[in-house]
Amino acid sequence: MAFIDSHCHLDFTEFDACRAQLINQCQQHNIKKLIVPGVTLAQSQALIAFSAQHTNVRIAAGLHPYFLAEYQHSHLAALTEFAEQHRSQLIAIGECGIDRSIDDLAVQTQIFEHHIALANQLELPLIVHHRQSHDLIAQAFKRCQPKKGGVIHAFSGSMQQAQYYIKQGFKLGVGGVITYQRAQKTRSVVAQIAPEHLLLETDAPAMPLAGFQGQINTPLQLPLVFEQLCQLKQITTPCKAGFKKQLYNSCSELFRI
């Protein structure tokens, strides 16, 4: 059974010099599908051509809180029009969310709830970014209930928060964070969550694994994330193939790929 990297930014400039080679290497290492989220309006629009060039890439459209400085109110209507027009080429809405390290939480919340409503309209899952904002995301979910679930990207939170998201129909994104010993809370929670509620991801080029700090992260690290997850869940070699299949199916079923 192959891998799916459920979250990587292969269109970012860090990969301009090596993108084709990297995608070929992913195929050779059985990383068969790569999900690339949208982060701005222009970049989301450009992903249509990007995915056409790479048959193993699947895409989403969204406005990430990190790029709030580029945001204009007209972008919401433009995002909706774009997503409606390219519905058949999108597997999700996002990357979207709320981030307390960034100002204008009211604007972030408005944008996030627009994404939820758009995902509901198009019957697509969400790719959700969070940072110190689980409470704000839960409040947004109360006002605008997601209908098709999604994934909480780079999940780090308590067991209670994990269970809340799962009840809302969301899966938890598991990446390089679990390779750090200091991330004991996240490691403990992930170890207890059933595989049908987990997705593997790298967030390449960001979130390098322990031992690779300062290097550009790539989807080729996904097998190392898998091995670390196996260790946390005490899954032995004879059971790894079945576990990998469960993780693959979890992602494939959510995004219908």
Side-chain angles (χ1 to χ4, degrees):
M1 181 59 67
F3 288 110
I4 300 174
D5 189 341
S6 67
H7 196 114
C8 57
H9 298 281
L10 282 182
D11 59 322
F12 281 15
T13 57
E14 287 89 338
F15 298 114
D16 284 352
C18 63
R19 187 174 294 110
Q21 179 183 4
L22 176 59
I23 291 176
N24 287 334
Q25 289 176 316
C26 286
Q27 291 291 310
Q28 294 167 10
H29 287 80
N30 218 26
I31 305 166
K32 296 299 185 182
K33 297 175 183 176
L34 305 158
I35 296 176
V36 180
V39 294
T40 68
L41 177 61
Q43 179 262 355
S44 293
Q45 293 168 334
L47 284 177
I48 296 297
F50 183 82
S51 63
Q53 296 172 351
H54 308 288
T55 58
N56 56 339
V57 167
R58 302 293 184 270
I59 61 171
L63 308 177
H64 193 298
Y66 281 176
F67 300 91
L68 195 61
E70 301 178 25
Y71 169 73
Q72 300 175 26
H73 185 69
S74 61
H75 288 178
L76 292 182
L79 179 69
T80 297
E81 181 180 0
F82 169 76
E84 290 174 342
Q85 181 180 357
H86 297 281
R87 166 65 179 83
S88 63
Q89 293 155 285
L90 300 177
I91 62 157
I93 296 298
E95 182 175 358
C96 56
I98 303 175
D99 190 316
R100 267 202 171 91
S101 72
I102 299 169
D103 292 334
D104 294 321
L105 288 175
V107 174
Q108 289 189 56
T109 300
Q110 178 191 16
I111 296 170
F112 180 46
E113 291 183 12
H114 183 92
H115 282 76
I116 300 172
L118 179 58
N120 287 346
Q121 175 191 333
L122 300 180
E123 298 186 324
L124 288 171
L126 288 157
I127 300 174
V128 177
H129 168 89
H130 68 90
R131 178 174 290 180
Q132 300 173 345
S133 57
H134 292 303
D135 59 325
L136 300 177
I137 289 171
Q139 291 169 22
F141 283 178
K142 288 182 180 179
R143 290 187 295 267
C144 190
Q145 178 70 39
K147 295 180 180 178
K148 294 297 179 180
V151 56
I152 306 300
H153 163 53
F155 175 78
S156 60
S158 67
M159 178 58 73
Q160 181 180 8
Q161 289 163 338
Q163 291 172 339
Y164 166 78
Y165 286 126
I166 290 169
K167 288 180 181 178
Q168 300 300 313
F170 282 78
K171 300 180 187 294
L172 311 179
V174 179
V177 169
I178 66 167
T179 66
Y180 289 86
Q181 290 294 324
R182 66 175 181 268
Q184 284 303 314
K185 181 178 72 172
T186 300
R187 286 161 57 89
S188 175
V189 171
V190 168
Q192 300 174 65
I193 300 296
E196 61 265 28
H197 304 307
L198 301 175
L199 302 184
L200 293 177
E201 60 178 29
T202 62
D203 199 25
M207 289 179 62
L209 280 62
F212 296 88
Q213 295 93 323
Q215 300 181 31
I216 294 175
N217 193 18
T218 82
L220 293 174
Q221 300 290 60
L222 200 66
L224 294 181
V225 177
F226 172 72
E227 290 297 330
Q228 182 64 69
L229 184 57
C230 288
Q231 290 184 30
L232 291 178
K233 299 181 80 65
Q234 299 182 339
I235 293 173
T236 58
T237 299
C239 299
K240 284 184 179 180
F243 182 49
K244 185 191 294 186
K245 182 176 181 180
Q246 288 178 306
L247 294 170
Y248 183 95
N249 289 342
S250 176
C251 189
S252 180
E253 291 167 4
L254 174 64
F255 294 117
R256 301 176 187 175
I257 58 176

